[in-house]
Amino acid sequence: MSVMDLVSYEDALASYDPVMGLEVHVELGTNTKMFCGCATTFGAEPNSQVCPTCLGLPGSLPVVNATAVESAVRIGLALNCEIAEWCRFARKNYFYPDMPKNFQTSQYDEPIAFNGYLDVEVDGETFRVEIERAHMEEDTGKSTHVGGATGRIHGADHSLLDYNRAGIPLIEIVTKPIEGAGERAPEVAKAYVAELRELIRALGVSEARMELGQMRCDANVSLRPIGREKYGTRSETKNVNSLRSVERAVRFEIQRHATVLKEGGTIVQETRHFHEDDGTTTAGRVKEEAEDYRYFPEPDLVPVAPSRDWVEELRGTLPELPRVRRRRVQADWGLSDHEMQSVLNAGAIDLILETIDAGAPADAARKWWMGELSRRANEDGVELSALAITPTEVARVSALVVEGSLNDKLARQVIEGVLGGEGDPDTVVEKRGLRIVSDEGALGTAVDEAIAANPGVADKIRDGKVAAAGALVGAVMKATRGQADAARVKDLILEKLGAQG
């Protein structure tokens, strides 16, 4: 079903009330896997970080990663959850080609954290998203389907399996049904995932980089006729990996459900795939219910029983939480609510703070991330954090401007070079020859040539029409490829022509 075939979003909301459920998987940044000692380094040679345990070989026994348990407790506390005094793992049985054991070690009816909430803001309005549970489990391996046109299994010649990711610790955070968001449901979904990502990063338990699969969202959507209490049948769009895509996926599914229902059809409870290119979803597999997974307690792992003293000790390690930090930062920067919302919508707050920590003035850090870099991200259709430039590099560009080596025009060219893979800012400056021409002799020569080439303009300046100097400044800037200090050029022009600025 294409976007063109759908009823309008407004028409969908006129008849139906959307209900959402969001399941977010977060890969923890531990050094070793959830149940074995294999490394978790990203990008390693395929199948180089595996052992009998994470390969599911007979006779191997799992051992729980203590750091992962600690991270799970800290996440639960930050989400205002109750922490279980006793919980255990279970086997979740289903066929998964990149899960070598053919079952996933997860938690079922006894999660480590439950009954929490996270408040999110959308344009000044606060929505409370209630958390059903946060539980521990392990990630799957990675399948690469070769030979097809879409990269999916259908039409592929063969598949390659990399088990390096199999067994990496995951925390799955599941919301209770999110009701009452109305037309803002897609925005609330995006804001929730964004707030959760900030929280995870603040805790230091994961980098939560969605473009690398470290944080993924499954978006459940259903519609019910306005005024009814019973939920509609839900669909689950799997593994959505950007904030923008979360919003687009929820919006599309609301329209798709409404279109099917309007035409007298029935919603199928199924998983769906989101397509970044056109913002649509397509059917995956019919969605199982809990009983289909044949959960039973994991016999090879002892229960986890966090002591109350330890939980309270961990509570004391929680950092300043994102909402509190935002209010402080907004006050420090002197931003209006609208300006701060723009920073949040762009996903720029962490990037700006890291750029300031790297030495850039706050106003300069905001200017580059909210200006040139936001423009580039929008053009490329990616998150700001996915751009190939670091806060340290942006801070260096800012320093080159402050010290007078670059002006803003040249700085934009440096940023373009860094994004294009030409090297760090200093390397790009040298390769492209972008430093401001500050040699008085060279500037003086360029000014003399501009005056000689524009005698009429020079006469106007001599007669006191100082504004005419702009034409000569432009000529000098053109001759120096924008690498002259415009203010110094104007001063030299006025000095040479005996005019007062």
Side-chain angles (χ1 to χ4, degrees), residues 11-18 223-226 254 257-259 261-262:
D11 287 345
L13 270 295
S15 300
Y16 297 101
D17 180 26
L223 296 184
R224 61 183 176 189
I226 289 178
I254 289 172
H257 280 223
T259 302
L261 294 171
K262 180 180 179 181

Side-chain angles (χ1 to χ4, degrees), residues 23-29 71 75 79 135-139 168-173 193 196-197 199-201 205-209 213-217:
E23 303 170 17
V24 175
H25 294 79
V26 179
E27 281 188 359
L28 298 178
S71 296
I75 290 171
L79 290 172
H135 65 260
M136 300 178 286
E137 59 186 25
E138 59 184 335
D139 211 344
I168 285 182
L170 281 182
I171 299 297
E172 182 177 355
I173 302 162
V193 178
L196 187 58
R197 184 177 66 173
L199 183 65
I200 295 296
R201 288 175 173 173
V205 297
S206 173
E207 293 181 359
R209 295 181 61 181
Q214 295 171 343
M215 181 170 171
R216 312 185 291 273
C217 178

Side-chain angles (χ1 to χ4, degrees), residues 312-345:
E312 291 309 309
E313 181 182 331
L314 291 179
R315 193 189 301 276
T317 70
L318 297 182
E320 181 183 40
L321 298 182
R323 289 189 78 199
V324 177
R325 181 182 63 166
R326 285 199 300 273
R327 294 191 188 97
R328 175 180 57 79
V329 167
Q330 181 176 355
D332 290 346
W333 293 352
L335 300 183
S336 67
D337 289 343
H338 177 74
E339 289 170 330
M340 191 64 190
Q341 191 61 50
S342 295
V343 171
L344 296 174
N345 290 344

Side-chain angles (χ1 to χ4, degrees), residues 48-119:
S48 63
Q49 298 180 162
V50 295
C51 71
T53 299
C54 57
L55 287 176
L57 299 183
S60 59
L61 291 173
V63 177
V64 174
N65 185 321
T67 301
V69 175
E70 178 179 317
S71 296
V73 172
R74 296 181 75 230
I75 290 171
L77 291 172
L79 290 172
N80 305 290
C81 288
E82 299 176 46
I83 305 301
E85 296 187 20
W86 188 93
C87 63
R88 57 184 172 179
F89 287 93
R91 292 187 180 184
K92 183 180 182 182
N93 295 273
Y94 60 112
F95 176 71
Y96 216 160
D98 41 18
M99 177 62 77
K101 298 180 296 188
N102 210 28
F103 65 84
Q104 182 186 37
T105 305
S106 181
Q107 292 187 305
Y108 173 45
D109 55 346
E110 297 164 314
I112 193 166
F114 53 94
N115 287 343
Y117 66 87
L118 184 63
D119 289 334

Side-chain angles (χ1 to χ4, degrees), residues 62 65 92 108 155 166 193 199 218 223 230 258 262 271 281 306 314 359 378-379 418 438 441 445 476 484:
N65 185 321
K92 183 180 182 182
Y108 173 45
V193 178
L199 183 65
D218 298 342
L223 296 184
K230 185 178 179 181
K262 180 180 179 181
T271 64
T281 69
L314 291 179
N378 288 335
E379 287 179 356
V418 174
S438 56
T445 299
V476 173

